[in-house]
């Protein structure tokens, strides 16, 4: 395909950059940047809903035998209500926070800017992919609208089968389980719309000279993630439709003399790759941030991109390690164990390459860098705990304990959300035209990092002691006294979780304060090389005017011998007389610049 053709693919709708009104610019926008920020704000809102559910869970656990915690009666949150709380908490955080943040928000905002495109390939489809997400949230919490919270909890208006919703439990649950299925079908549809856009945009709309070998690792991560979504999400959609038919049409896929294990196989065939959907974009963003603030080229660029592809491929052949307790044939279990061990290899490649990038670098401990380092360290801990679960015999002992809860939170909070915080603070100048407050950002990081580890690391200890998960109380109310000696851990983890929640309130305050009163940002406050930093902050509608840039090199040319500066932008042509004018910093500001 010629350069002219590539530039024009998918750009017909952007040829006329007329003045847009408020609704067209900020609400029903087709601009990828506005849509990305809509995803970000929605995910941030849902983060506090999911976090509120989590704090309620933890306070119920800390209440113990008395049922009181900090003067509040927590007994009402036991029994079936507790099942609703942990089911809705996990569902919200996975499908309405992490995936919209990493795929919807950053995928939309960053990808066209990084590859030199004016917008996504299909702008209308892109806007639609966002606007069906609030619809999914309304359906998920439909019980609140129909009956209110108290009546809804008593009538089964909310899902209560965990985020996995295994049958036959999900067959006998109230109508809220059907709302849960319909909501996730809508979420999956949104994800597929976005994935089609990402794959098409990255393949067909790259700027001249932007080969696959010159794409940033953020773009690579979104590209691989989009392929995972396209292959995996239709399986989840199918299994949810079958579950609805079992519940309401009398079919026998999983229940009514059907095969409950079939549900588990189909669910995890999607949901294990979904773990990488929730972590791969964070890996790409952390790679970019670490390279920028270590002022070094990324160590092993090709190996990093190949590791992402390897993780994606292996992710589809290891789903059975979630089912070691299901009575699996020992030979089949051995296969899944070995395959799971292998998937640790590309993750190890990425971890060592991050360390290699940091080694002897000129490191700037900015807020984005601190969060990226937090991501790496927490992801390594989560990955190491995952190796225990890969061993069949060990997993049989720890599968239903708090050790699993610790593992998933180290990967998906310590990993994914620290990656989100790194991405928000790194691209904040480009999003809002102002610098993120370094003081508030660093306080937020320290509080979050310490409180997170105080909340979730003790779960390894109580899990190794055998404490089972998904119980509302372990002492009193007829519960066994076997776990009474571990109650102080529950109280300590709960107080830590409260601090963790308050730290996120500080982050919200920092976002609002910085967006309104933060120091104005120039085009390139970080002195980075990727194409978005050649644009105004924030970039105009259509991004690149009047011409699409030409790319001459990769995104990680730091400390190059070709120029006096310690960075060399991708679009800077060293062969022209005015080399050095492109990519110059205009009004550079903010802490942490080199």
């Amino acid at each position: 395909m010629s350069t002219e053709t590539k530039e024009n693919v998918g750009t017909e709708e952007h040829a006329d950059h007329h003045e847009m009104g408020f609704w067209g610019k900020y609400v029903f926008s087709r601009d990828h940047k506005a849509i990305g920020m809509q995803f970000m704000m929605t995910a941030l809102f849902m983060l506090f809903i999911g976090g509120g559910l989590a704090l309620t869970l933890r306070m119920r656990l800390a209440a113990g035998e008395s049922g009181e915690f900090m003067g509040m009666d927590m007994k009402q949150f036991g029994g079936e209500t507790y099942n609703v709380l942990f089911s809705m908490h996990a569902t919200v955080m996975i499908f309405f926070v992490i995936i919209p943040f990493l795929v919807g928000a950053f995928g939309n905002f960053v990808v066209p800017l990084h590859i030199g495109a004016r917008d996504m390939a299909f702008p209308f489809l892109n806007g639609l992919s966002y606007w069906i997400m609030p619809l999914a949230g309304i359906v998920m919490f439909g019980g609140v609208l129909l009956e209110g919270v108290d009546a809804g909890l008593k009538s089964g208006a909310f899902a209560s089968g965990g985020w996995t919703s295994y049958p036959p439990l999900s067959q006998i649950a109230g109508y809220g389980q059907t709302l849960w299925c319909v909501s996730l079908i809508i979420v999956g549809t949104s994800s597929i719309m976005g994935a089609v856009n990402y794959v098409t945009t990255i393949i067909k709309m790259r700027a001249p000279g932007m080969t696959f070998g010159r794409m940033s690792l953020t773009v690579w991560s979104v590209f691989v993630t989009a392929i995972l979504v396209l292959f995996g999400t239709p399986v989840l959609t199918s299994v949810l439709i079958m579950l609805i038919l079992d519940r309401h049409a009398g079919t026998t896929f999983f229940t009514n003399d059907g095969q409950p294990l079939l549900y588990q196989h189909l669910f995890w065939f999607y949901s294990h790759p979904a773990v990488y959907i929730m972590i791969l974009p964070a890996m790409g963003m952390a790679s970019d941030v670490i390279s920028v603030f270590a002022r070094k080229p990324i160590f092993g660029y090709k190996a990093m991109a190949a590791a992402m592809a390897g993780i994606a491929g292996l992710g589809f052949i290891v789903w059975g390690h979630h089912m070691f307790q299901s009575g699996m044939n020992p030979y089949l279990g051995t296969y899944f164990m070995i395959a799971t061990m292998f998937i640790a290899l590309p993750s190890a490649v990425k971890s060592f390459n991050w360390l290699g990038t940091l080694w002897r670098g000129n490191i700037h401990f900015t807020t984005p860098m601190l969060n990226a380092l937090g991501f790496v360290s927490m992801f390594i801990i989560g990955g190491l705990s995952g190796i225990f679960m890969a061993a069949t015999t060990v997993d049989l002992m720890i599968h239903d304990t708090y050790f699993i809860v610790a593992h998933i939170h180290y990967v998906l909070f310590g990993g994914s959300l620290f990656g989100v915080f790194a991405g928000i603070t790194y691209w904040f100048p480009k999003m809002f035209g102002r610098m993120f407050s370094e003081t508030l950002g660093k306080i937020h990081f320290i509080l979050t990092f310490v409180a997170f580890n105080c909340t979730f690391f003790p779960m390894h200890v109580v899990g190794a002691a055998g404490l089972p998960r998904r119980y509302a109380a372990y002492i009193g109310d007829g519960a066994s006294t076997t776990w009474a000696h571990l109650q102080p851990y529950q109280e300590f983890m709960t107080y830590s979780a409260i601090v963790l929640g308050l730290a996120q309130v500080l982050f919200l305050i920092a976002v609002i304060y910085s967006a309104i009163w933060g120091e104005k940002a120039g085009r390139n406050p970080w002195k980075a090389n990727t194409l978005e930093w050649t644009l105004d902050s924030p970039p105009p509608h259509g991004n690149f005017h009047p011409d699409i840039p030409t790319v001459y090199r990769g995104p990680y040319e730091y400390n190059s011998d070709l120029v006096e500066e310690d960075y060399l932008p991708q679009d800077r042509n060293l062969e022209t007389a005015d080399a050095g004018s492109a990519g110059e910093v205009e009004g550079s500001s903010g802490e942490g610049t080199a």
Side-chain angles (χ1 to χ4, degrees):
M1 178 178 287
S2 68
T3 299
E4 291 184 7
T5 305
K6 282 182 68 174
E7 287 185 21
N8 290 329
V9 171
T11 62
E12 295 85 352
E13 299 183 54
H14 314 291
D16 180 19
H17 298 297
H18 56 276
E19 189 67 27
M20 297 175 293
F22 174 83
W23 291 96
K25 186 174 182 179
Y26 297 107
V27 182
F28 300 109
S29 178
R30 298 184 183 184
D31 186 339
H32 71 97
K33 300 182 293 297
I35 295 169
M37 293 180 70
Q38 286 175 323
F39 270 109
M40 187 180 77
M41 295 305 174
T42 303
L44 195 60
F45 172 75
M46 297 301 289
L47 174 64
F48 285 94
I49 293 179
L53 293 169
L55 288 178
T56 306
L57 289 170
R58 288 254 38 104
M59 288 190 287
R60 176 64 191 96
L61 290 167
E65 185 174 6
S66 68
E68 291 187 4
F69 180 76
M70 298 177 66
M72 294 179 286
D73 182 11
M74 303 303 299
K75 289 184 178 180
Q76 59 184 315
F77 297 110
E80 186 69 13
T81 301
Y82 188 83
N83 294 341
V84 170
L85 290 174
F86 75 70
S87 301
M88 298 296 281
H89 160 68
T91 300
V92 167
M93 297 301 282
I94 290 171
F95 294 103
F96 291 91
V97 176
I98 297 176
I99 293 178
F101 256 136
L102 291 175
V103 183
F106 292 108
N108 262 296
F109 191 90
V110 175
V111 167
L113 296 175
H114 269 214
I115 66 173
R118 298 197 190 279
D119 207 321
M120 286 292 194
F122 310 113
F124 176 80
L125 187 68
N126 198 28
L128 186 61
S129 72
Y130 168 74
W131 275 109
I132 66 173
M133 282 292 291
L135 174 62
I138 292 171
V139 173
M140 178 67 69
F141 290 95
V144 175
L145 303 176
L146 295 174
E147 304 190 37
V149 176
D150 292 336
L153 289 170
K154 296 175 183 177
S155 63
F158 303 101
S160 59
W163 80 278
T164 57
S165 290
Y166 285 171
L169 179 60
S170 56
Q171 169 72 9
I172 62 175
Y175 73 87
Q177 196 65 53
T178 300
L179 296 177
W180 183 89
C181 292
V182 174
S183 176
L184 294 195
I185 290 172
I186 298 173
V187 170
T189 304
S190 170
S191 297
I192 292 171
M193 289 177 178
V196 169
N197 241 330
Y198 297 135
V199 171
T200 306
T201 302
I202 292 169
I203 292 177
K204 306 293 285 186
M205 296 180 64
R206 286 170 286 119
M210 179 61 77
T211 63
F212 278 92
R214 290 176 176 175
M215 295 193 314
S216 70
L217 289 172
T218 296
V219 176
W220 267 110
S221 67
V222 174
F223 183 59
V224 173
T225 299
I227 294 173
L228 281 174
V229 170
L230 290 176
F231 279 98
T233 306
V235 178
L236 176 66
T237 302
S238 301
V239 76
L240 294 173
I241 291 172
M242 287 188 280
L243 182 58
I244 292 173
L245 292 175
D246 273 9
R247 285 174 55 85
H248 299 288
T251 55
T252 58
F253 293 109
F254 313 125
T255 57
N256 305 321
D257 297 325
Q259 296 291 328
L261 281 180
L262 174 62
Y263 177 95
Q264 295 187 33
H265 279 289
L266 293 174
F267 180 86
W268 287 113
F269 184 81
Y270 160 79
S271 292
H272 189 78
V275 172
Y276 301 109
I277 292 172
M278 292 182 278
I279 197 71
L280 277 173
M283 291 177 172
M285 294 189 299
S287 300
D288 281 10
V289 170
I290 288 172
S291 179
V292 169
F293 295 110
R295 312 310 295 174
K296 281 183 60 181
I298 198 74
F299 184 86
Y301 168 85
K302 292 182 179 179
M304 294 283 268
M308 291 181 187
I311 287 172
L314 291 170
F316 278 109
I317 63 171
V318 299
W319 78 90
H321 67 222
H322 294 274
M323 300 172 57
F324 286 151
Q325 299 250 5
S326 65
M328 182 181 293
N329 183 297
Y331 293 104
L332 185 60
T334 300
Y335 156 74
F336 279 119
M337 178 178 69
I338 294 172
T340 304
M341 295 291 186
F342 271 108
I343 207 170
L345 298 179
S347 296
V349 168
K350 297 185 71 63
S351 298
F352 282 113
N353 283 13
W354 286 322
L355 295 177
T357 305
L358 292 167
W359 175 251
R360 302 185 71 177
N362 181 19
I363 298 175
H364 296 250
F365 290 104
T366 61
T367 299
M369 184 62 155
L370 290 173
N371 281 289
L373 295 177
F375 161 81
V376 172
S377 56
M378 297 301 96
F379 173 74
I380 289 174
I381 293 176
L384 290 174
S385 67
I387 294 176
F388 289 90
M389 284 159 258
T392 312
T393 51
V394 177
D395 184 74
L396 292 174
M397 300 300 296
I398 64 176
H399 179 79
D400 233 1
T401 71
Y402 264 85
F403 199 93
I404 306 296
V405 181
H407 165 72
I408 193 171
H409 282 88
Y410 264 88
V411 173
L412 296 187
F413 190 123
S416 299
L417 279 183
F418 272 114
V420 166
F421 296 141
I424 291 176
T425 53
Y426 177 64
W427 281 294
F428 194 89
K430 200 56 59 178
M431 292 178 177
F432 296 97
R434 294 182 179 273
M435 302 300 296
F436 192 86
S437 170
E438 283 289 311
T439 301
L440 294 177
K442 288 175 179 176
I443 294 173
H444 164 259
F445 168 76
I446 293 171
L447 289 175
T448 301
F449 189 84
V450 174
F452 169 81
N453 282 283
C454 290
T455 300
F456 295 107
F457 194 84
M459 292 184 183
H460 292 103
V461 178
V462 297
L467 186 70
R469 54 181 173 159
R470 297 172 179 161
Y471 281 70
Y474 297 90
I475 57 176
D477 296 329
S480 170
T481 59
T482 305
W483 311 112
H485 64 292
L486 298 178
Q487 189 61 19
Y489 283 94
Q490 297 284 18
E491 296 172 6
F492 175 75
M493 290 186 288
T494 300
Y495 286 117
S496 300
I498 293 172
V499 176
L500 182 61
L502 293 175
Q504 308 326 305
V505 175
L506 176 63
F507 183 77
L508 179 61
I509 294 171
V511 168
I512 296 172
Y513 171 83
S514 301
I516 299 174
W517 295 290
E519 179 186 356
K520 287 187 177 181
R523 285 191 173 189
N524 193 357
W526 306 129
K527 296 185 179 179
N529 292 334
T530 43
L531 296 178
E532 78 272 30
W533 302 107
T534 66
L535 301 172
D536 292 336
S537 301
H541 181 63
N543 301 335
F544 301 96
H545 297 291
D547 299 317
I548 296 292
T550 298
V551 175
Y552 297 96
R553 61 191 61 82
Y556 304 113
E557 297 295 326
Y558 296 102
N559 284 299
S560 172
D561 294 333
L562 300 177
V563 291
E564 294 182 2
E565 303 91 340
D566 74 340
Y567 70 108
L568 181 56
Q570 287 187 280
D571 67 337
R572 183 171 176 180
N573 186 359
L574 296 179
E575 296 180 1
T576 60
D578 60 346
S581 62
E584 285 292 329
V585 180
E586 295 184 11
S588 176
S589 61
E591 294 183 29
T593 54

